[in-house]
Amino acid sequence: MYRIRWIVCIAIILGFFGSCGVSKSLKDRPNLSNYNPQIPEITKTSDSSYVYSNNSLTKNKQGLWELYVSGDPLQRGLITGALTEDLFQEQEAIFLSKVEELVPSKTKRYFLRKFLAWYNRKMYKNIPEEIKAEIWGLSQYASQNFNDIADPYSRVLYLHGAHDIGHALQDLALVGCSSFAVWGDKSEDGSLILGRNFDFYAGDDFAKNKIISFLDPTEGHKFMSVTWAGMTGVVSGMNEHGLTVTINAGKSKIPLVAKTPISILTREILQYAATLEEAISIAKKRQVFVSESILVGSARDKKAMIIEVSPHNFGVYEVPNSTQLICSNHFQSDAYAKDKNNQKHIFEGHTQYRYERMEELLGDHKKITPTIAVDILRNKEGLKDNNIGYGNEKALNQLLAHHGIVFKPEQRLVWVSSNPYQLGEFVAYDLNKIFKDSLNSRIGSTLSIPNKNIEKDNFLYTQAYQNYEKYRVEIDQIKQAVADNKHLTPQFLEEFKRLNPQFWETHYWLGLYNYNRKYYRAALNNFMEANTKEITTVPEKAAVHSYIRRLKRKLK
């Protein structure tokens, strides 16, 4: 999972800078001759409500932007761009500020652009023309401030591969998303329920303006997704037939060339599949360049499955004798039974731990409801309800999620979390109603069903939450002090430890600070304390043990 911010920055760099050079050729441009090129004239009906024809953008009281867009591919892109222009340009500025923060040298950025132009040279061949036309329309509203990096179309196009390239570059770290599905005798009314956390963190500003998008295309199925300005791909969504998709990153080798981004593949599934069989068929025809689990739920099939894709393999995982399905970030199908990358990932990472935690929590309830599903997504404890510290990647709720979401496909109901993380109110939407309503019923009012919303997490009202929010600020300060070898007061260090004492990283960073200052006895105590906590991965545990051995030698 991308808690380490520089990993996110690498993904952003690859997404944006990868376009440079390629844009000099027109070969990647979509054919727009069959589409309506009319430029939308947006009407602003309030400070947070915008309208064009049958399309609208409104901010609800929970802070979620609700976007409704219809039309042909080019019109969808132009309308989306026009309605979300301010949000789009703000999001782009957030991304690019992180690029400059990571690579301040103009010379280094120049050479990086040259390399990545080569790396992304074939991505345009693996994206459907329809999606490229939509991205072209959207890109007309991108900021002109960054044209020295690449032209707007190329910047937006290659941004859609940032997620893929970022987690591939690690054999690094992964987006540690957790998801599950239940149906039949495991759900309260027998119908399918799915829940997922999208634990992608690119800074607080990145998650500030979430968009709940409702798309009515001229071809294919109407669908909703949780997204952000500038993104046409799908990470979590459901279509009008009750087919759902969510993505979970898998362990990948570093690919040699970019192909179809996962979010574009899942978008295609959502727009053109109504059954599990149709979803498999679409997934098989696309060439991806990273490993990913796609959890697909189907109202028609009344069950869920996992499609497991990678550059050189393909598998489908189902549970024929069970009514629950769990997905963390490792593969489960027979096709990957002997995959060494997958086996290593299970052994060294935290995916198996989260898998077992979901098993425990689902097992605590005979029947699952949407409210119980939300409670599971919000759970902050480790196995057997152990306190493993706030922000631990082994928890289902790592207190950094971009969003949490729960689907009830047979009823076309969906609940989407509001800030902060997945602790805010889960806002309910009825796709049957939304795709039938007229524009007049949407202007200035929420598309949600307030009486079906799920309340905020009570954790928001606790001292522990206040401490955690302060901890998040102070851990950045101590990391900076470690990097710069700067002095912090004993009072600061004591308060930092008090804010999140059960989290292993608290003591690890104190250990690094004291080690750099040559306070070896204090550092040893810190690392010994970290070793008593639930450390996230095998490599991180090895790092703690290494410091302990090193310090014991120094203190002899």
Side-chain angles (χ1 to χ4, degrees):
M1 149 295 290
Y2 283 62
R3 286 194 73 249
I4 305 173
R5 295 184 182 181
W6 65 267
I7 297 171
V8 178
C9 295
I10 288 174
I12 293 166
I13 287 172
L14 285 160
F16 280 101
F17 289 178
S19 57
C20 302
V22 178
S23 60
K24 293 179 181 178
S25 169
L26 295 178
K27 63 185 179 181
D28 61 338
R29 297 295 194 268
N31 181 357
L32 307 177
S33 59
N34 295 323
Y35 302 134
N36 177 8
Q38 182 177 351
I39 302 299
E41 294 185 11
I42 303 301
T43 301
K44 186 175 182 179
T45 59
S46 74
D47 288 342
S48 58
S49 184
Y50 307 83
V51 173
Y52 168 72
S53 184
N54 189 42
N55 309 276
S56 60
L57 175 70
T58 301
K59 191 175 187 178
N60 66 24
K61 70 175 186 177
Q62 291 85 6
L64 301 173
W65 289 94
E66 298 170 348
L67 175 69
Y68 188 101
V69 172
S70 59
D72 68 34
L74 179 58
Q75 272 295 293
R76 294 197 303 267
L78 290 168
I79 294 167
T80 300
L83 287 171
T84 66
E85 184 173 11
D86 291 343
L87 297 175
F88 182 14
Q89 294 188 9
E90 180 182 348
Q91 204 82 350
E92 189 171 21
I94 291 168
F95 289 148
L96 291 176
S97 68
K98 288 192 175 293
V99 171
E100 291 187 2
E101 178 186 320
L102 177 65
V103 189
S105 166
K106 290 184 178 179
T107 302
K108 289 181 180 179
R109 290 202 298 266
Y110 171 80
F111 284 112
L112 185 62
R113 290 199 299 268
K114 290 296 184 182
F115 167 73
L116 294 171
W118 172 83
Y119 183 85
N120 281 304
R121 66 196 182 278
K122 293 184 179 180
M123 183 185 285
Y124 75 95
K125 294 182 177 180
N126 293 276
I127 295 179
E129 286 297 311
E130 174 185 10
I131 301 300
K132 288 197 290 186
E134 190 172 316
I135 289 174
W136 175 273
L138 178 63
S139 71
Q140 304 312 296
Y141 295 87
S143 173
Q144 298 301 309
N145 295 334
F146 308 114
N147 288 350
D148 59 323
I149 295 174
D151 69 90
Y153 170 68
S154 296
R155 292 203 311 268
V156 179
L157 182 69
Y158 287 92
L159 172 63
H160 286 75
H163 163 87
D164 307 64
I165 303 169
H167 84 64
L169 255 191
Q170 223 9 14
D171 230 4
L172 290 172
L174 298 175
V175 180
C177 306
S178 303
S179 54
F180 60 85
V182 297
W183 61 92
D185 61 9
K186 190 60 183 176
S187 81
E188 184 181 49
D189 60 2
S191 61
L192 179 62
I193 298 174
L194 303 99
R196 81 90 111 249
N197 284 332
F198 184 59
D199 290 316
F200 181 87
Y201 183 75
D204 291 343
D205 289 340
F206 175 81
K208 189 192 308 180
N209 288 307
K210 284 185 273 289
I211 295 175
I212 316 304
S213 170
F214 300 90
L215 210 63
D216 182 358
T218 49
E219 295 185 16
H221 312 310
K222 303 171 186 178
F223 64 91
M224 67 77 60
S225 67
V226 184
T227 187
W228 49 88
M231 176 69 161
T232 64
V234 172
V235 296
S236 303
M238 178 167 68
N239 69 23
E240 61 181 319
H241 298 288
L243 187 102
T244 70
V245 294
T246 60
I247 59 174
N248 287 56
K251 196 68 168 177
S252 293
K253 293 181 179 178
I254 298 176
L256 296 177
V257 64
K259 293 186 180 179
T260 304
I262 290 296
S263 69
I264 297 298
L265 169 58
T266 47
R267 155 70 187 268
E268 190 175 7
I269 290 172
L270 209 56
Q271 188 173 343
Y272 289 102
T275 65
L276 298 179
E277 184 178 350
E278 289 172 358
I280 293 170
S281 177
I282 291 171
K284 280 182 175 179
K285 73 180 183 181
R286 291 293 171 196
Q287 283 190 306
V288 299
F289 60 104
V290 294
S291 301
E292 200 90 13
S293 296
I294 306 170
L295 179 60
V296 185
S298 168
R300 290 189 182 179
D301 296 289
K302 300 184 184 299
K303 64 177 183 178
M305 67 173 185
I306 302 171
I307 300 174
E308 298 176 340
V309 297
S310 62
H312 305 294
N313 205 350
F314 185 94
V316 175
Y317 180 68
E318 296 186 79
V319 282
N321 299 315
S322 178
T323 52
Q324 74 176 37
L325 179 64
I326 296 173
C327 182
S328 48
N329 293 95
H330 59 263
F331 292 141
Q332 304 175 64
S333 68
D334 291 341
Y336 293 89
K338 296 181 180 180
D339 187 288
K340 291 182 179 179
N341 270 333
N342 190 48
Q343 292 171 351
K344 181 182 178 184
H345 185 39
I346 293 171
F347 174 72
E348 292 188 347
H350 46 76
T351 72
Q352 185 64 31
Y353 189 98
R354 284 185 288 109
Y355 184 99
E356 292 172 8
R357 182 58 177 158
M358 280 186 274
E359 278 188 318
E360 277 188 353
L361 293 171
L362 288 169
D364 287 342
H365 303 278
K366 188 174 181 181
K367 305 282 186 181
I368 302 299
T369 65
T371 300
I372 291 173
V374 168
D375 287 343
I376 291 172
L377 296 178
R378 288 172 169 170
N379 188 272
K380 296 168 286 296
E381 287 72 44
L383 288 170
K384 299 180 181 178
D385 294 328
N386 286 331
N387 185 344
I388 60 175
Y390 297 119
N392 196 316
E393 296 168 30
K394 284 188 169 180
L396 299 187
N397 179 3
Q398 301 168 22
L399 292 170
L400 54 69
H402 179 271
H403 66 266
I405 190 166
V406 170
F407 301 102
K408 209 169 180 201
E410 291 165 60
Q411 291 75 22
R412 311 301 191 266
L413 295 173
V414 57
W415 289 260
V416 182
S417 68
S418 55
N419 289 332
Y421 323 119
Q422 66 276 64
L423 300 177
E425 192 172 6
F426 269 67
V427 182
Y429 297 94
D430 182 345
L431 267 60
N432 283 326
K433 181 177 185 300
I434 290 169
F435 287 125
K436 288 178 182 176
D437 279 352
S438 65
L439 174 66
N440 289 336
S441 65
R442 296 199 306 270
I443 295 178
S445 62
T446 182
L447 299 179
S448 67
I449 322 163
N451 65 337
K452 288 187 178 291
N453 290 355
I454 297 173
E455 294 180 353
K456 297 178 181 179
D457 192 332
N458 288 332
F459 179 65
L460 285 171
Y461 308 107
T462 65
Q463 185 61 49
Y465 172 71
Q466 298 300 323
N467 288 347
Y468 177 71
E469 288 298 286
K470 191 172 184 180
Y471 173 85
R472 294 179 70 235
V473 174
E474 293 194 2
I475 195 170
D476 285 342
Q477 294 173 347
I478 199 168
K479 286 178 180 180
Q480 194 62 50
V482 168
D484 300 337
N485 200 22
K486 288 186 176 179
H487 175 72
L488 296 171
T489 67
Q491 292 83 0
F492 177 91
L493 298 174
E494 280 302 314
E495 180 188 50
F496 175 71
K497 183 164 63 174
R498 177 184 61 81
L499 292 174
N500 198 2
Q502 297 303 316
F503 189 25
W504 74 274
E505 281 195 21
T506 302
H507 308 283
Y508 176 79
W509 284 102
L510 285 169
L512 287 181
Y513 171 81
N514 284 318
Y515 184 87
N516 284 0
R517 307 290 294 178
K518 301 189 186 319
Y519 304 148
Y520 295 138
R521 176 60 61 186
L524 178 60
N525 290 338
N526 295 141
F527 286 118
M528 293 287 284
E529 184 68 17
N531 196 44
T532 68
K533 309 303 179 185
E534 189 65 63
I535 298 176
T536 309
T537 67
V538 170
E540 287 167 332
K541 186 172 288 190
V544 170
H545 291 172
S546 176
Y547 275 109
I548 290 172
R549 290 193 300 270
R550 196 180 312 172
L551 285 161
K552 284 182 176 179
R553 288 196 298 269
K554 285 180 179 292
L555 291 168
K556 276 186 178 180

